[in-house]
Amino acid sequence: MVMQNYLELAAEKPTRLHFTEHAWVDRAIIDPETRFAKKVRTLVLMCDRCNNGPVSAPFSILAKDLQDKLSPFLEGNRYRGVDFIITRHGSGYQTRFEVQTLIRA
């Protein structure tokens, strides 16, 4: 099993992920452009499989776009029955995410 501190998506590379747990976490971060501290709400999903290999790492999501796409799967932990293929496009404030779902057999 691969042990990582966290998962990070490579740009323009689809990544297949499976999640086992989730939590909403309030954090204080430093805005990289303004250098001011600000509070953000982060969706953290624990990942047990990445590209069909075992992992044990959190996937933290600050991007509202991606949070909105995954939020419908949080109710009743529906994400446990789904593999997500997530592709990150762009960077910084221009980042957008493409999400595909595959029902697990």
Side-chain angles (χ1 to χ4, degrees), residues 9 15 17-19 21-22 24 43-46 59-80 82-87 97-101:
L9 300 178
T15 304
L17 304 167
H18 179 257
F19 305 116
E21 301 293 330
H22 78 278
W24 287 99
L43 174 59
V44 180
L45 294 151
M46 285 305 300
F59 181 55
S60 295
I61 304 168
L62 283 172
K64 180 86 167 92
D65 171 51
L66 187 53
Q67 288 179 356
D68 290 346
K69 290 177 180 178
L70 297 179
S71 288
F73 295 93
L74 300 181
E75 186 176 336
N77 300 323
R78 290 182 33 227
Y79 52 83
R80 291 179 181 163
V82 177
D83 281 354
F84 296 88
I85 300 173
I86 304 174
T87 307
F97 297 89
E98 177 184 340
V99 177
Q100 299 171 322
T101 57

Side-chain angles (χ1 to χ4, degrees), residues 3 5 7 9 13 35 43 50 54-56 67-68 71 78 87 89 95 104-105:
M3 297 298 289
N5 290 334
L7 291 175
L9 300 178
K13 181 179 179 188
R35 304 283 188 234
L43 174 59
C50 179
V55 296
S56 180
Q67 288 179 356
D68 290 346
S71 288
R78 290 182 33 227
T87 307
H89 301 285
T95 304
R104 291 175 65 91

Side-chain angles (χ1 to χ4, degrees), residues 11-31:
E12 308 302 330
K13 181 179 179 188
T15 304
R16 185 172 179 165
L17 304 167
H18 179 257
F19 305 116
T20 58
E21 301 293 330
H22 78 278
W24 287 99
V25 179
D26 293 320
R27 294 187 174 149
I29 65 168
I30 302 297
D31 185 292

